[in-house]
């Protein structure tokens, strides 16, 4: 017997209701298993085959749902997790989909559990028996922390769709590129001593002064050497984010820590940046050969990403949706998913509301989003 298909709102509500917070803070981090199970049931009821993958060493899962056979087709992708939320700042329950002011409020309404409600709504209204190429739906884990879901997915799959669309909240703008992100911490260890006799110590702040000079040279080099005109800030940026060192006015500072980040433009790889950092710091590290300077990554790096304007898929989707592709200033899973197929980012709701208290989806996006998903499926799977 056919199950009665739940309405768009019922599905949306049920997806928001299940908490799937990802956090680097272990006490806040949650498994997404219940959410993945619910999503799997929804797609299974629409005759999709389901494969769920546990991310090694975690209690997190990716879901790949597929229907239709053969090569090519379309992959619609979203992340199943949300960021943590500040209870004091929310005026509504983050886990209750609340309709008000022509908006749907709730954690994940735009970023981005809501996207799956749109996909389910469109697919339940079409005849999937007539598709000639597969439709894939991917729900990833841990996008908001280390992107381990997407990283694991590209290693664990052999599917080759023609096109991948990530439904991040782009206000339905078509995105074909973003910068990457790398963050580092440099620790300098000196020797402490009374400040009245500088010869008795090694001042870590003075060594850090040389480190900073080298990093500022790197910053200048990146700005001069690399250019990507599609970005409003058309060069890779380097930001000195925080610095801590010293404790008493009459003490030679024994330890100083500097954190910094780099945002590479497409065309500049993570490896290239690592080499550049090494080159710039080489002389200082040699000078203090007794292990005084330590560099470590702060967070997992995300590469830059671009699906060229010249790529056939970019042109096809631009034409289909009557949109010109453009760039954004945040990172997504696209640099990983593009390893298996050309990837574009296009989804309902605004990034302005993502990671904010009282996150909401403007109802304005509902019909246009459903139209776009239908068009994409028609184009790539029929
Ligand atoms: Zn997101």
């Amino acid at each position: 017997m056919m199950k009665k298909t739940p309405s768009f709102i019922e599905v949306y509500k049920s997806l928001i209701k299940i908490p799937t917070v990802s956090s680097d803070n272990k006490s806040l981090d949650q498994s997404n298993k219940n959410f993945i199970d619910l999503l799997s049931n929804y797609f299974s009821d629409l005759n999709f085959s389901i494969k769920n993958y546990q991310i090694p060493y975690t209690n997190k899962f990716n879901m790949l749902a597929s229907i239709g056979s053969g090569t090519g087709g379309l992959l619609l992708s979203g992340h199943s997790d949300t960021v943590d939320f500040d209870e004091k700042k929310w005026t509504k329950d983050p886990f209750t989909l609340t309709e008000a002011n022509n908006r749907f409020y709730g954690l994940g309404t735009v970023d981005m559990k809501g996207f799956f409600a749109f996909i389910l709504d469109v697919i339940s209204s079409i005849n999937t028996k007539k598709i000639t190429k597969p439709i894939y739906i991917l729900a990833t884990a841990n996008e908001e922390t280390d992107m381990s879901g997407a990283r694991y997915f590209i290693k664990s799959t052999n599917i080759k769709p023609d096109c991948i669309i990530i439904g991040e909240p782009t206000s339905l703008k078509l995105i074909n590129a973003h910068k990457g992100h790398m963050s580092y911490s440099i620790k300098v260890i000196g020797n402490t001593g009374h400040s009245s006799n500088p010869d008795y110590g090694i001042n870590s702040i003075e060594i850090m002064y040389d480190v900073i000079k080298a990093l500022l040279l790197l910053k200048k080099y990146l700005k001069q050497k690399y250019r990507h005109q599609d970005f409003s800030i058309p060069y890779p940026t380097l930001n000195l984010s925080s610095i801590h060192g010293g404790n008493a006015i009459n003490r030679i500072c024994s330890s100083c820590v500097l954190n910094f980040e780099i945002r590479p433009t497409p065309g500049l790889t993570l490896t290239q940046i690592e080499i550049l950092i090494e080159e710039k710091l080489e002389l200082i590290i040699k000078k203090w050969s007794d292990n005084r300077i330590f560099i470590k990554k702060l967070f997992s790096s995300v590469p830059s990403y671009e699906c060229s304007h010249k790529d056939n898929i970019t042109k096809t989707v631009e034409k289909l949706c009557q949109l010109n592709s453009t760039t954004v200033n945040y990172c997504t899973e696209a640099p990983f998913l593009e390893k298996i197929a050309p990837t574009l980012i296009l989804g309902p709701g605004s990034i302005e509301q993502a990671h904010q208290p009282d996150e909401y989806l403007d109802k304005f996006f509902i019909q246009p989003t459903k139209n776009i998903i239908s068009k994409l499926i028609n184009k790539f799977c029929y």
Side-chain angles (χ1 to χ4, degrees):
M1 198 182 80
M2 277 289 281
K3 279 196 191 169
K4 188 185 164 286
T5 319
S7 71
F8 172 69
I9 308 283
E10 282 170 315
V11 171
Y12 205 169
K13 241 182 216 166
S14 68
L15 299 178
I16 298 304
K17 199 174 170 191
I18 301 178
T20 54
V21 171
S22 282
S23 174
D24 292 315
N25 179 342
K26 283 221 158 53
S27 66
L28 299 173
D29 194 50
Q30 297 171 319
S31 171
N32 66 342
K33 182 161 192 312
N34 292 343
F35 180 86
I36 289 292
D37 286 347
L38 177 72
L39 206 56
S40 303
N41 286 340
Y42 281 142
F43 282 104
S44 175
D45 287 347
L46 294 171
N47 299 318
F48 278 64
S49 319
I50 311 294
K51 274 186 194 160
N52 291 341
Y53 304 83
Q54 185 165 11
I55 320 300
Y57 313 109
T58 71
N59 53 1
K60 315 269 189 150
F61 296 80
N62 287 338
M63 178 204 78
L64 180 69
S66 57
I67 192 164
S69 55
T71 55
L74 174 70
L75 168 62
L76 297 170
S77 181
H79 58 85
S80 62
D81 58 328
T82 71
V83 284
D84 180 32
F85 60 100
D86 185 343
E87 206 158 4
K88 282 175 254 120
K89 290 188 180 156
W90 277 74
T91 66
K92 298 173 172 63
D93 177 2
F95 303 108
T96 303
L97 187 76
T98 307
E99 229 177 313
N101 317 318
N102 237 2
R103 295 167 177 172
F104 283 114
Y105 291 89
L107 183 62
T109 46
V110 292
D111 189 18
M112 58 172 290
K113 295 197 279 189
F115 185 57
F116 297 106
F118 286 93
I119 299 173
L120 283 160
D121 190 73
V122 172
I123 287 175
S124 64
S125 71
I126 61 175
N127 186 353
T128 48
K129 285 203 179 91
K130 292 203 169 144
I131 57 171
T132 56
K133 289 179 173 186
I135 308 172
Y136 301 102
I137 312 300
L138 173 66
T140 60
N142 278 358
E143 190 271 347
E144 300 289 3
T145 50
D146 55 9
M147 301 201 182
S148 53
R151 288 175 208 264
Y152 183 65
F153 174 70
I154 58 170
K155 282 192 263 174
S156 58
T157 189
N158 53 12
I159 64 165
K160 280 265 169 228
D162 294 314
C163 172
I164 299 176
I165 300 289
I166 303 178
E168 289 278 7
T170 66
S171 299
L172 291 182
K173 290 192 176 111
L174 182 62
I175 305 304
N176 75 322
H178 62 63
K179 291 182 184 178
H181 190 257
M182 308 175 86
S183 55
Y184 291 92
S185 183
I186 297 191
K187 186 174 192 177
V188 175
I189 304 290
N191 277 343
T192 192
H194 197 272
S195 59
S196 57
N197 190 342
D199 293 343
Y200 278 171
I202 293 173
N203 194 315
S204 60
I205 295 178
E206 290 183 15
I207 300 176
M208 191 61 92
Y209 169 74
D210 288 335
V211 169
I212 290 174
K213 273 198 292 187
L215 289 177
L216 292 181
L217 283 175
L218 174 60
K219 175 180 173 171
K220 199 172 160 191
Y221 175 82
L222 290 173
K223 186 172 173 180
Q224 283 170 348
K225 180 88 195 284
Y226 297 92
R227 204 133 265 272
H228 196 305
Q229 288 305 341
D230 289 358
F231 290 88
S232 56
I233 309 296
Y235 50 86
T237 54
L238 185 156
N239 180 51
L240 304 178
S241 316
S242 69
I243 186 163
H244 297 281
N247 46 22
I249 194 75
N250 60 356
R251 202 169 291 154
I252 294 167
C253 178
S254 65
S255 162
C256 186
V257 176
L258 169 77
N259 292 346
F260 69 99
E261 53 141 43
I262 295 178
R263 293 172 185 266
T265 41
L268 175 59
T269 66
L270 301 181
T271 313
Q272 281 173 304
I273 291 180
E274 278 162 10
I275 292 169
L276 284 169
I277 294 173
E278 267 173 37
E279 275 175 13
K280 294 289 176 205
L281 295 178
E282 196 183 355
L283 283 179
I284 308 164
I285 290 172
K286 260 193 191 143
K287 182 176 167 190
W288 300 100
S289 53
D290 49 347
N291 279 351
R292 297 209 171 270
I293 301 171
F294 301 90
I295 307 176
K296 65 167 187 186
K297 265 187 202 162
L298 276 180
F299 298 103
S300 316
S301 302
V302 179
S304 57
Y305 137 81
E306 180 171 31
C307 186
S308 165
H309 294 294
K310 292 184 203 126
D311 193 293
N312 269 338
I313 292 297
T314 312
K315 287 188 200 160
T316 304
V317 177
E318 281 187 339
K319 200 173 156 206
L320 183 74
C321 304
Q322 309 252 296
L323 294 166
N324 289 320
S325 53
T326 179
T327 64
V328 284
N329 290 319
Y330 49 88
C331 291
T332 71
E333 297 170 321
F336 305 106
L337 298 187
E338 72 170 345
K339 302 264 190 269
I340 62 168
T343 302
L344 294 162
I345 310 161
L346 171 66
S350 162
I351 196 71
E352 307 268 310
Q353 275 90 54
H355 303 196
Q356 297 301 317
D358 290 345
E359 176 182 336
Y360 67 83
L361 175 93
D362 197 311
K363 280 191 184 175
F364 161 81
F365 288 108
I366 293 177
Q367 201 47 51
T369 303
K370 290 180 183 177
N371 295 347
I372 283 175
I373 294 173
S374 300
K375 278 187 197 172
L376 288 165
I377 292 174
N378 263 314
K379 181 78 198 170
F380 289 103
C381 308
Y382 281 92

